[in-house]
Amino acid sequence: MWNRDQLLSIDPTAADYVLGLFNRDHLEYHLLANPRKEPTLEEMTNFAVQALKKDPNGYFLFVEGGRIDMGHHATKARLALDETLEFAKAVKVAADLTDEEDTLIVVTADHAHTLSVNGYPVRGNNILGIGGMSWEDYLPYSTLSYSNGPGYKHPQEDGTRYDISGDDMSDANYEFPATVPLSSETHGGDDVAVFARGPWSHLYAGTFEQNFIPHVMAYASCVGNGRTVCDDNNN
């Protein structure tokens, strides 16, 4: 299948194999996509879970909201945050279609970005807009900005800081301010959260190395050459 209409017209429980090729490269950002051509991450997740859950031996499904990462690299926070909302919808549909008693769902990221939330914006302020005014140069700053990336704004001709008040920050492709000019924003060094529910999800507690994540998956699902819950139950 190659478009959204085809995806929605197929019974996911009736096909043994399905290949969806909805773009020659990455899917378009949700805010910029043709809704007739490209399905949402939620719709693809819904289809995949229903297609796979008929297997009596269970299944492993990997779902990635990859455009979140790309939006941040471009310092296009509006696109990145919208992709995060789309990812949340995919998580919800996966949770709605599965049973917490027998399905482990793990939600995490492989790294952070240099996105920052700045200042003291008033309650109800648009997070994608102006955050406040500097007390030093009396120019506005955005609530969201990046440590580096293509959103760097060159100083004005008189040497003062760039004034973002004239920018159209409602544009989906707006590049939010960055401190250091780079063609692509870098990853950050922050710890990332791991959220989980289902069998053995309690093992995802505290701080741990990233390579611990698949070991818990294997343990809970009794796969691989390492120690699993099936081994422990047989002892």
Side-chain angles (χ1 to χ4, degrees):
M1 63 181 75
W2 66 272
N3 60 56
R4 179 175 180 263
D5 290 341
Q6 291 175 337
L7 177 73
L8 299 182
S9 68
I10 295 176
D11 179 0
T13 65
D16 291 329
Y17 301 96
V18 177
L19 176 62
L21 299 174
F22 304 111
N23 200 312
R24 66 179 183 85
D25 197 353
H26 298 286
L27 291 182
E28 184 57 90
Y29 289 103
H30 170 253
L31 282 179
L32 305 177
N34 180 342
R36 294 200 60 189
K37 176 186 174 185
E38 296 189 3
T40 65
L41 192 64
E42 176 187 16
E43 290 168 340
M44 290 186 287
T45 302
N46 177 73
F47 187 99
V49 172
Q50 293 196 66
L52 293 171
K53 68 187 300 185
K54 63 185 179 182
D55 190 330
N57 296 317
Y59 60 93
F60 175 85
L61 174 64
F62 181 88
V63 177
E64 181 182 17
R67 278 298 202 176
I68 300 171
D69 174 69
M70 294 179 180
H72 285 311
H73 280 307
T75 62
K76 296 180 180 181
R78 183 178 295 273
L79 292 179
L81 296 188
D82 179 73
E83 292 296 321
T84 305
L85 294 176
E86 291 301 300
F87 185 68
K89 295 176 185 177
V91 174
K92 183 179 185 303
V93 75
D96 290 342
L97 291 174
T98 56
D99 187 344
E100 191 172 355
E101 294 297 316
D102 62 19
T103 304
L104 174 64
I105 296 179
V106 181
V107 180
T108 188
D110 55 339
H111 57 75
H113 280 272
T114 66
L115 179 70
S116 297
V117 181
N118 308 301
Y120 309 103
V122 298
R123 184 182 297 276
N125 190 65
N126 181 3
I127 194 171
L128 294 166
I130 301 295
M133 192 74 68
S134 167
W135 301 324
E136 301 296 328
D137 60 12
Y138 303 103
L139 290 172
Y141 59 86
S142 56
T143 302
L144 300 181
S145 65
Y146 293 85
S147 295
N148 54 62
Y152 174 78
K153 314 295 183 186
H154 290 278
Q156 301 181 89
E157 290 185 359
D158 61 1
T160 58
R161 184 167 59 90
Y162 179 88
D163 185 357
I164 63 173
S165 63
D167 291 353
D168 181 9
M169 301 179 73
S170 65
D171 184 350
N173 281 304
Y174 179 74
E175 296 175 345
F176 278 71
T179 305
V180 177
L182 286 177
S183 60
S184 178
E185 177 264 355
T186 67
H187 296 163
D190 318 51
D191 287 344
V192 298
V194 179
F195 304 96
R197 77 164 211 177
W200 301 97
S201 59
H202 65 279
L203 295 179
Y204 291 113
T207 302
F208 46 82
E209 294 295 330
Q210 196 171 52
N211 56 23
F212 176 71
I213 297 173
H215 287 295
V216 175
M217 294 180 181
Y219 179 82
S221 56
C222 295
V223 299
N225 298 322
R227 177 180 172 183
T228 71
V229 64
C230 294
D231 298 326
D232 291 345
N233 289 339
N234 292 331
N235 294 333

